[in-house]
Amino acid sequence: MISFAQILSEVGEFGTFQKRLLVAICIPNFFAAFHMFSQVFTGLTFRHHCNTDWIRKQGPNLTLQQQLNLTIPKQQDGQYDSCSMFTPVDLGLEDIEAFGLNETTKCTHGSVYEAPEGSSTLITEFNLICDSKSLNEASQSIYMAGLLVGALVFGPMADRYGRRFVTLLSLALQFLFGVGTAFSPNFYVYIALRFVVGTSISGIAINTYVLGTEWCGTSKRALFTILSHCCYALGLMVLSGVAYGIRNWRILQIVLSAPVLIMAVYFWILPESARWLLTQGRQEEARRIILKAAQVNGRKVPDSLLDKLEAESKARTGSMLDLFRVGNLRKRALIMSYIWFVTSLVYYGVSLNVGNFGLDIYLTQLIFGIAELPARLGCYPLIERFGRKKSQSAALLLGGTACLVILAVPSEYPVVVTVIAVIGKFSLAASFSIAYVYTAELYPTVVRQNGVGLNSMCARVAGILAPLIGLLDVYHYAIPMIIYGSLPFLGGGLCFMLPETLNTELLDHTDALMDHNK
């Protein structure tokens, strides 16, 4: 019996077949960026104040400034209060101007938004302000919970039913519920539909990159993953431009979701993982796909070599519990879970805070997207030169340091704050790409999707917490950044407890790790 790596060397480790697969995987990654950060723009908020047109009966010729001075209380900083107004009275305008109003109440007749003409966001349409302000952050956390459920469901499902099936199912869900979100009659339906979109994004993310990893040779695995992540960065850049041009959130949601329909062709062109098929005892299917891949690459696999390629006598599918039964796997699973958790927490904490760095939100998002491209490309030579664990550690430490340094910069210097935030985003984007490469190499094929699913679940828990941690700034503005800045240091240290996987072959079964454990 020969290993799949020997067959892959005959097929071609990075030929035309793998390049076509790379393009097929890049496209859903491009659109995934739209859904991950669309709510930064669909949930854009504007300055607002209570609707106090009641005073127009007494003073129809009042200017807006005069109306606000008479009907809206001011805060200590001199700004008009956004969520309260003076209680309407039946007095004449002269009496109101002479004696003023003292008793306040909440906005009883709705609010007025200082939004550009034609703009419509979740905030303005569903009035997610004042007492309902936290619903916007909560909805983002529920979307992240969808990512968590997707990792929990689609990871094990892919180990049982295949990478191809789960990817196709996830793409269908993303299209149907992504477009459906644009027609939400209320905010709670919007939250529910976004939850399902989140599950689909998770299913696509963890399955496409594992599929690519299992079809690539040792020397090209990292390059394949990182190039697919570069399309995610391109998606972030395009998102800022599309959102700048479309200010109606419903139209924007349709424009961001509908193009996924073109990926219906994946039903005919997306291959299954031959490596996975062999672990399931499906030798004939694996043989057909191997021959097709070799033909596309212009190579020929000798029949004598294929005859030695044996499938398992019975399907061998691992479970999440297998990750904890073997000591070496358990250590890898726990450490990588924390690394995914802290990378995700800081990445989304900084990304979702894009409107609070002092510059235009569209420009800042564009800069963040541009920063991700060299971050993801740049980590490839690093991990090939210095290895996975050193690079992973360095990225986490730099990201944590950047978050802490932001606190030392006065708010009067928004450009400096944004530059440091970009450095942090740069580091965490690199950390994410390295984690994807490293994780796939640490787990055997029979439990790879379970391992990736577990780690991805931890990342999604962090994604749920990231918007909620941002709410802690009501107690002190520095609390969120202190959390984001301190946790990566532990992750950077834990990296050195993992084995180096540079230039090592993928394992198919846990047996080797069990033997090593004895």
Side-chain angles (χ1 to χ4, degrees):
M1 180 177 180
I2 63 171
S3 68
F4 184 77
Q6 292 172 277
I7 291 290
L8 196 56
S9 65
E10 294 293 328
V11 170
E13 295 191 346
F14 199 65
T16 304
F17 177 83
Q18 284 87 352
K19 290 171 184 174
R20 289 181 183 177
L21 179 60
L22 174 61
V23 173
I25 286 174
C26 281
I27 295 172
N29 272 304
F30 178 86
F31 290 117
F34 290 177
H35 290 287
M36 290 301 296
F37 293 106
S38 63
Q39 199 166 324
V40 169
F41 301 107
T42 59
L44 199 60
T45 188
F46 303 99
R47 292 179 61 183
H48 56 88
H49 57 80
C50 295
N51 181 351
T52 58
D53 286 348
W54 62 269
I55 202 172
R56 291 289 179 180
K57 294 179 181 178
Q58 291 95 325
N61 296 320
L62 287 172
T63 65
L64 177 62
Q65 192 65 43
Q66 290 173 326
Q67 177 181 340
L68 295 179
N69 285 335
L70 292 173
T71 59
I72 303 291
K74 289 187 176 182
Q75 299 174 322
Q76 292 182 350
D77 60 2
Q79 298 293 320
Y80 292 111
D81 195 307
S82 299
C83 299
S84 65
M85 62 185 228
F86 290 119
T87 303
V89 295
D90 291 329
L91 300 176
L93 181 62
E94 295 79 7
D95 293 331
I96 294 175
E97 289 178 326
F99 302 105
L101 301 174
N102 295 314
E103 189 175 343
T104 60
T105 184
K106 294 181 179 180
C107 301
T108 54
H109 298 96
S111 295
V112 177
Y113 296 90
E114 298 177 21
E117 186 177 354
S119 294
S120 172
T121 70
L122 294 166
I123 307 299
T124 60
E125 183 166 334
F126 299 124
N127 288 315
L128 305 179
I129 55 175
C130 303
D131 293 342
S132 301
K133 181 180 178 181
S134 60
L135 283 177
N136 191 37
E137 283 77 11
S139 70
Q140 190 66 23
S141 290
I142 292 172
Y143 170 77
M144 293 293 182
L147 293 171
L148 168 64
V149 172
L152 180 64
V153 172
F154 291 130
M157 184 184 291
D159 273 338
R160 182 170 295 275
Y161 299 108
R163 285 63 163 133
R164 180 180 183 275
F165 169 78
V166 174
T167 300
L168 294 175
L169 174 62
S170 298
L171 286 170
L173 292 174
Q174 180 184 342
F175 170 72
L176 292 173
F177 287 86
V179 173
T181 298
F183 301 94
S184 302
N186 58 62
F187 192 62
Y188 297 102
V189 172
Y190 169 86
I191 291 174
L193 294 176
R194 281 275 291 171
F195 174 85
V196 180
V197 172
T199 64
S200 70
I201 295 295
S202 196
I204 293 165
I206 64 178
N207 281 288
T208 52
Y209 103 89
V210 167
L211 181 60
T213 297
E214 293 179 346
W215 267 113
C216 281
T218 303
S219 62
K220 301 297 183 181
R221 288 197 305 253
L223 180 63
F224 191 101
T225 300
I226 288 168
L227 286 177
S228 67
H229 284 187
C230 288
C231 284
Y232 181 86
L234 290 174
L236 291 178
M237 288 185 272
V238 172
L239 170 62
S240 61
V242 174
Y244 182 81
I246 302 175
R247 302 299 178 96
N248 182 296
W249 79 267
R250 292 185 184 273
I251 297 175
L252 178 60
Q253 184 68 36
I254 293 173
V255 169
L256 296 178
S257 302
V260 177
L261 183 61
I262 65 176
M263 284 181 274
V265 299
Y266 280 28
F267 182 81
W268 293 278
I269 68 173
L270 190 68
E272 182 55 272
S273 167
R275 188 187 292 268
W276 175 80
L277 287 170
L278 289 170
T279 66
Q280 302 305 297
R282 295 158 65 175
Q283 184 176 9
E284 285 305 312
E285 291 178 65
R287 187 186 182 105
R288 285 198 299 271
I289 294 177
I290 289 169
L291 290 173
K292 180 180 178 181
Q295 181 183 15
V296 172
N297 285 344
R299 306 282 288 270
K300 182 172 176 59
V301 182
D303 291 336
S304 58
L305 198 61
L306 284 173
D307 292 338
K308 296 177 183 177
L309 183 64
E310 296 180 15
E312 299 295 330
S313 57
K314 62 177 181 178
R316 296 180 63 177
T317 301
S319 69
M320 200 77 77
L321 291 177
D322 291 331
L323 296 173
F324 297 94
R325 291 193 181 106
V326 182
N328 278 305
L329 271 181
R330 181 167 58 246
K331 183 173 74 172
R332 297 178 187 192
L334 292 175
I335 293 176
M336 288 309 299
S337 291
Y338 181 79
I339 289 172
W340 278 64
F341 174 87
V342 72
T343 299
S344 177
L345 183 73
V346 186
Y347 178 86
Y348 291 114
V350 173
S351 298
L352 297 175
N353 204 34
V354 66
N356 299 326
F357 293 130
L359 293 182
D360 178 76
I361 188 171
Y362 299 97
L363 176 61
T364 306
Q365 181 63 39
L366 176 63
I367 293 171
F368 274 12
I370 293 172
E372 286 216 9
L373 198 56
R376 296 184 185 276
L377 282 173
C379 68
Y380 176 67
L382 290 178
I383 62 177
E384 292 298 304
R385 172 67 178 83
F386 299 104
R388 278 53 164 159
K389 65 180 178 182
K390 288 181 181 178
S391 301
Q392 182 79 73
S393 178
L396 286 170
L397 295 175
L398 181 58
T401 301
C403 290
L404 295 177
V405 171
I406 285 176
L407 297 175
V409 181
S411 58
E412 304 90 72
Y413 303 99
V415 174
V416 179
V417 172
T418 302
V419 168
I420 298 172
V422 167
I423 293 173
K425 183 77 181 298
F426 179 98
S427 305
L428 273 301
S431 179
F432 245 135
S433 286
I434 297 168
Y436 269 93
V437 173
Y438 203 7
T439 303
E441 295 175 344
L442 285 171
Y443 298 118
T445 301
V446 291
V447 293
R448 185 168 294 119
Q449 283 291 38
N450 280 288
V452 172
L454 173 66
N455 298 153
S456 185
M457 282 164 50
C458 294
R460 304 321 166 194
V461 170
I464 294 169
L465 295 176
L468 303 181
I469 288 175
L471 296 175
L472 296 177
D473 64 356
V474 299
Y475 300 105
H476 194 283
Y477 77 94
I479 292 177
M481 280 301 172
I482 290 175
I483 294 173
Y484 298 146
S486 57
L487 295 182
F489 284 88
L490 176 58
L494 289 174
C495 289
F496 291 97
M497 298 178 65
L498 293 169
E500 181 55 67
T501 58
L502 177 62
N503 296 326
T504 60
E505 291 292 345
L506 291 178
L507 295 174
D508 283 329
H509 304 294
T510 60
D511 301 346
L513 291 173
M514 294 177 69
D515 293 339
H516 183 69
N517 219 38
K518 293 178 181 178

